Amino acid sequence: MTGKRKKREEGLEHLLVSTSTQGGTTRLIATMAKRSILSSVCLLAACSTRSVHSFSSDPPSRRTMCAPRRTIGAIATPSVPSASAPCAVITRIGTQTRAVSSRSPGPSSRWSSSLRAVEGDFDPDAIAKSREAVESGSLSARLRALYKFTRPHTIRGTILASIAGTVRALVDTPGAIATANWGAMLPRAAIGMVALLLGNAYIVGINQIFDRDIDVMNKPFLPVASGEMSPRVAWATVLFSGIVGPAIVYNFFPPLLFKLYMLGWTLGGIYSVPPIRTKRNAFTAGLTIATVRGFLLNFGVYYAVKDAIGAPFSWSPKVSFIARFMTAFATVIAVTKDLPDVEGDKAYGISTLATKVGVPTIAKGATFCLLANYVHAVLTGVLSGRGVFRAVPMIGGHALAAVVLLARFRELEPEKISSIKTYYKHIW
């Protein structure tokens, strides 16, 4: 077994350096991937054993899910419930405090308890109902939990970026649309999309496993935190996604794309997994997300399409703009994603810009950065040579997006979690 493993590692190392003569960029990526992949392929198995045993075999109790909340500043967070206190959720909106008891629900809570927990649903009755449906063996409830486990809003972002990169690559290549072998390209595109979605599921899944205690406070609707999905099922899903995704890319796409994929795979894993856990530091967390969501995803899709149609890749004003714009955008996402999670992050020692300087300041700063990014896009369209960009979408489209951003910011109420989440999801 040791000899076979050594041969596999030697073969993988040979693969990683096989394209090192293609240029400086390729050599850099090969070096980074070579150092990270071999040390990461055993990460899932090693961590899964420790993590499964570190969890209680019982799902989070209703008492934990419904723990009374203490208000720190303007955001309510769970506190330790007393043995005699009724199970209630207490929220503070402005100067008003509202309590909804789960022991004696009123008409509105009876209606809400008939619902199933959805993404962003903090209703303990709905969450408990969803957990009970899973425990009863309902297939639809389990599929719904799996769907929530993949974080749908991140799936939409991945799909949108893939479509945009594909269209951009086809439009940039004269005659590509008319002469493309669609019978071969469409199945390959579908396979590539599956690989991207599996990579997305791996990253957000492993994050939920290691952030379970934090999510009980910040995101109790997530399936691992709510008990809808057991640690073993969660790890099975992560292992499947983390193994099958790279296998697809390795077998169907060029070596450079495999290295890019594995670089993103590694960065996405160490974002959540101890002892590195880059999310504990605001700078490394932002750099990780900006690299994976900004550069690697958009550049990787563009390069893959160029390779599929047999066109050589080259940097152009359009490709450079996409890389700059989306990397800046992903950096803002990396910061604003922490806005609804301030108190939970504080409780577990997670250092974010939001915990350091506060929600209102970060919201204003993020809006300014996005606005600057849109201004940069408009100026790029104005100052570029004639015919480089299409004026209407490049100038008019980004100007309109900036106006919508300002309108959304004016609606933001930093003291309300629901308003913060709406603002963040608008950025997504």
Side-chain angles (χ1 to χ4, degrees):
M1 293 298 291
T2 303
K4 292 182 179 179
R5 185 179 302 156
K6 184 176 181 181
K7 289 182 179 180
R8 285 197 298 269
E9 293 178 353
E10 290 176 351
L12 180 57
E13 184 176 359
H14 174 72
L15 170 68
L16 293 173
V17 299
S18 61
T19 58
S20 61
T21 58
Q22 294 179 9
T25 301
T26 304
R27 286 196 299 271
L28 175 62
I29 294 172
T31 302
M32 296 174 67
K34 175 184 174 182
R35 293 177 179 178
S36 62
I37 296 172
L38 292 177
S39 62
S40 302
V41 290
C42 297
L43 178 67
L44 290 176
C47 293
S48 63
T49 302
R50 181 179 65 179
S51 181
V52 168
H53 288 294
S54 67
F55 289 149
S56 169
S57 58
D58 296 327
S61 65
R62 183 178 178 81
R63 176 176 168 183
T64 300
M65 293 301 303
C66 304
R69 295 196 169 199
R70 56 186 174 88
T71 301
I72 302 178
I75 301 178
T77 58
S79 61
V80 180
S82 65
S84 60
C87 183
V89 173
I90 301 177
T91 59
R92 180 176 176 180
I93 302 176
T95 59
Q96 296 180 345
T97 302
R98 179 182 64 181
V100 181
S101 173
S102 61
R103 288 187 179 176
S104 55
S108 61
S109 60
R110 288 194 191 100
W111 176 81
S112 64
S113 66
S114 66
L115 302 176
R116 297 293 188 268
V118 296
E119 176 80 5
D121 190 349
F122 282 81
D123 181 3
D125 290 324
I127 294 172
K129 197 77 172 179
S130 295
R131 186 172 64 248
E132 291 168 2
V134 171
E135 292 171 351
S136 69
S138 170
L139 178 60
S140 61
R142 292 179 179 179
L143 292 176
R144 190 182 302 112
L146 178 62
Y147 176 67
K148 289 195 294 181
F149 186 70
T150 62
R151 303 307 303 276
H153 70 285
T154 65
I155 289 178
R156 290 191 288 270
T158 300
I159 293 175
L160 181 60
S162 300
I163 293 174
T166 299
V167 172
R168 182 74 268 161
L170 292 174
V171 171
D172 285 350
T173 307
I177 298 178
T179 61
N181 182 4
W182 295 106
M185 284 186 58
L186 290 178
R188 188 176 183 182
I191 292 173
M193 182 66 74
V194 170
L196 286 175
L197 295 181
L198 287 172
N200 187 87
Y202 157 74
I203 292 174
V204 300
I206 204 167
N207 176 258
Q208 291 174 67
I209 291 172
F210 283 93
D211 278 8
R212 184 194 190 212
D213 293 338
I214 303 176
D215 288 341
V216 168
M217 296 179 67
N218 289 337
K219 304 181 182 77
F221 50 82
L222 293 178
V224 176
S226 68
E228 294 174 67
M229 180 178 286
S230 70
R232 292 187 182 278
V233 174
W235 267 114
T237 304
V238 167
L239 287 170
F240 176 84
S241 302
I243 294 172
V244 175
I248 290 175
V249 179
Y250 180 81
N251 284 283
F252 291 95
F253 295 94
L256 178 60
L257 287 181
F258 176 70
K259 296 168 189 174
L260 290 172
Y261 189 94
M262 290 308 299
L263 179 59
W265 186 97
T266 303
L267 292 174
I270 64 176
Y271 174 82
S272 302
V273 178
I276 300 178
R277 197 164 163 79
T278 57
K279 70 167 293 177
R280 288 184 296 196
N281 179 273
F283 175 76
T284 57
L287 183 63
T288 298
I289 295 176
T291 302
V292 176
R293 288 280 176 191
F295 176 76
L296 291 178
L297 174 60
N298 292 277
F299 172 80
V301 170
Y302 188 92
Y303 185 95
V305 176
K306 282 284 192 177
D307 177 78
I309 60 180
F313 171 82
S314 62
W315 288 101
S316 67
K318 296 174 182 177
V319 178
S320 299
F321 166 74
I322 292 174
R324 292 195 310 270
F325 184 89
M326 291 309 301
T327 300
F329 209 101
T331 303
V332 175
I333 288 177
V335 175
T336 57
K337 75 174 184 60
D338 299 316
L339 293 179
D341 302 337
V342 171
E343 297 306 331
D345 289 340
K346 285 181 179 179
Y348 285 89
I350 304 298
S351 175
T352 67
L353 291 177
T355 62
K356 291 181 176 180
V357 301
V359 171
T361 303
I362 291 300
K364 292 177 183 177
T367 302
F368 174 80
C369 290
L370 283 181
L371 187 62
N373 205 25
Y374 287 133
V375 172
H376 144 257
V378 171
L379 291 178
T380 300
V382 171
L383 300 177
S384 297
R386 186 175 183 180
V388 176
F389 295 98
R390 298 186 181 185
V392 172
M394 188 66 179
I395 300 174
H398 288 103
L400 179 61
V403 172
V404 173
L405 172 68
L406 291 176
R408 292 285 187 173
F409 177 71
R410 292 187 62 184
E411 298 172 356
L412 173 65
E413 300 177 73
E415 72 279 2
K416 293 185 179 180
I417 290 293
S418 59
S419 179
I420 295 172
K421 290 177 67 66
T422 300
Y423 176 75
Y424 165 62
K425 288 190 175 182
H426 165 70
I427 293 177
W428 261 101

